[in-house]
Amino acid sequence: MCRLLGYLGSPLQLDQLLYKPERSLVVQSYLPQEMTSGVVNADGLGIGWYHSTQDVNPFTYKNTLPIWNDINLPELSRYVESDCVLAYVRSATPGQALDMGNCQPFRRDRILFIHNGFIERFRQTLYRPIRDRLSDEIYQSIHGTTDSEHIFALLVNEVQTVADASLETALSQTLSQLIQLAQSYQVNFSANIILSDGHSLVASRYASGSSAPTLYWLRDDPNYPNAVLVASEPLFAGNWHSCPTNSLLVVKEDLEVCINQF
């Protein structure tokens, strides 16, 4: 299980999200409070962000070190400013390689994607069925071995197949495919996902056959006015709301928050 963080709102320096909160991702990497599997998140990190004034594809920074050992990120996070950020610290599924190819966020054009969850016995169950549903071009674009990247590939395939599909629709259809496959192969999975195109955030809290990992959201906190945060665990004391199990959360460009049961 990993720890996720999404931000949409007024531009701010990355260190305001990654380091300053009382229970920042750094703290959650070695002392998580609400993980359902694993003890620490020491298997790497990743941050994705969008330029706050230019309409360009997003940027990513990844490392296989624990976030507390990354000596470059504190300086980078003081320099970079963004109005839309996705970040995570990783707890690798046993058997999955600890390399850059398996580090999130995953990126495709304007889309950034992070995932906390699992597909039960992935290599023996849904690995091939998922790949069979992909176009050849998206199939060839998979560089790592994680279930997370394969879920992302399903989503990208959906975006490219359905003209003008919104992020919400693409994520909903991706989860529907996973549910169908999981039922056919009688496996459990969980999919807490946050994705963005730089203008909106869409998140899911979903599990089939197991408990859904926790996911929270908060809007217009005094320390983060005109902004919405989505996180696996609250970053500080505040008016955090728990996302319902098996739901989709949509944060629109005007920061309106909508929650729909899946």
Side-chain angles (χ1 to χ4, degrees):
M1 291 295 172
C2 307
R3 302 290 83 184
L4 308 181
L5 170 62
Y7 174 89
L8 183 68
S10 299
L12 83 176
Q13 292 176 203
L14 296 189
D15 67 337
Q16 298 295 316
L17 293 172
L18 302 179
Y19 291 97
K20 297 299 178 67
E22 179 183 357
R23 293 203 50 79
S24 66
L25 280 188
V26 176
V27 175
Q28 291 182 28
S29 68
Y30 61 79
L31 195 64
Q33 293 186 331
E34 301 191 34
M35 283 179 65
T36 58
S37 176
V39 178
V40 295
N41 296 279
D43 299 320
L45 64 109
I47 302 99
W49 68 93
Y50 295 81
H51 200 288
S52 57
T53 60
Q54 298 179 26
D55 189 22
V56 296
N57 287 345
F59 309 92
T60 60
Y61 176 86
K62 305 178 183 183
N63 204 328
T64 56
L65 289 171
I67 192 171
W68 65 77
N69 278 345
D70 189 320
I71 63 173
N72 294 311
L73 185 58
E75 294 298 318
L76 176 69
S77 66
R78 289 177 53 244
Y79 174 76
V80 174
E81 184 176 274
S82 177
D83 55 2
C84 184
V85 181
L86 270 62
Y88 98 126
V89 287
R90 185 185 183 202
S91 176
T93 301
Q96 292 287 359
L98 185 61
D99 59 34
M100 294 293 283
N102 286 339
C103 279
Q104 305 179 46
F106 298 115
R107 177 179 61 189
R108 178 73 176 215
D109 300 326
R110 291 283 304 178
I111 299 175
L112 286 174
F113 171 104
I114 49 178
H115 167 240
N116 172 36
F118 72 99
I119 296 175
E120 185 180 20
R121 304 188 318 277
F122 173 59
R123 293 288 294 192
Q124 294 76 37
T125 58
L126 300 192
Y127 175 81
R128 182 61 180 269
I130 287 177
R131 285 183 166 239
D132 286 344
R133 294 187 173 217
L134 305 177
S135 70
D136 183 66
E137 188 267 332
I138 295 173
Y139 181 104
Q140 297 295 336
S141 72
I142 298 175
H143 299 295
T145 59
T146 62
D147 48 9
S148 300
E149 187 177 10
H150 284 73
I151 294 172
F152 177 58
L154 265 183
L155 184 136
V156 173
N157 198 77
E158 190 67 30
V159 169
Q160 293 193 353
T161 301
V162 181
D164 300 321
S166 66
L167 291 183
E168 180 183 4
T169 298
L171 181 53
S172 177
Q173 291 301 317
T174 299
L175 290 174
S176 293
Q177 292 187 65
L178 284 175
I179 293 167
Q180 180 186 35
L181 288 170
Q183 290 174 345
S184 297
Y185 289 84
Q186 298 182 326
V187 296
N188 301 333
F189 78 93
S190 62
N192 278 20
I193 291 168
I194 306 176
L195 66 150
S196 181
D197 58 4
H199 303 293
S200 62
L201 284 179
V202 179
S204 64
R205 183 188 180 201
Y206 193 89
S208 175
S210 63
S211 299
T214 56
L215 193 69
Y216 298 87
W217 67 276
L218 171 148
R219 178 177 175 179
D220 292 335
D221 183 84
N223 294 315
Y224 298 88
N226 194 35
V228 174
L229 289 90
V230 182
S232 297
E233 301 181 15
L235 303 176
F236 46 83
N239 189 30
W240 293 89
H241 306 276
S242 176
C243 295
T245 302
N246 297 350
S247 66
L248 291 179
L249 179 147
V250 181
V251 184
K252 299 181 180 180
E253 192 166 3
D254 62 1
L255 304 182
E256 178 186 357
V257 177
C258 300
I259 298 177
N260 301 308
Q261 288 297 135
F262 190 81

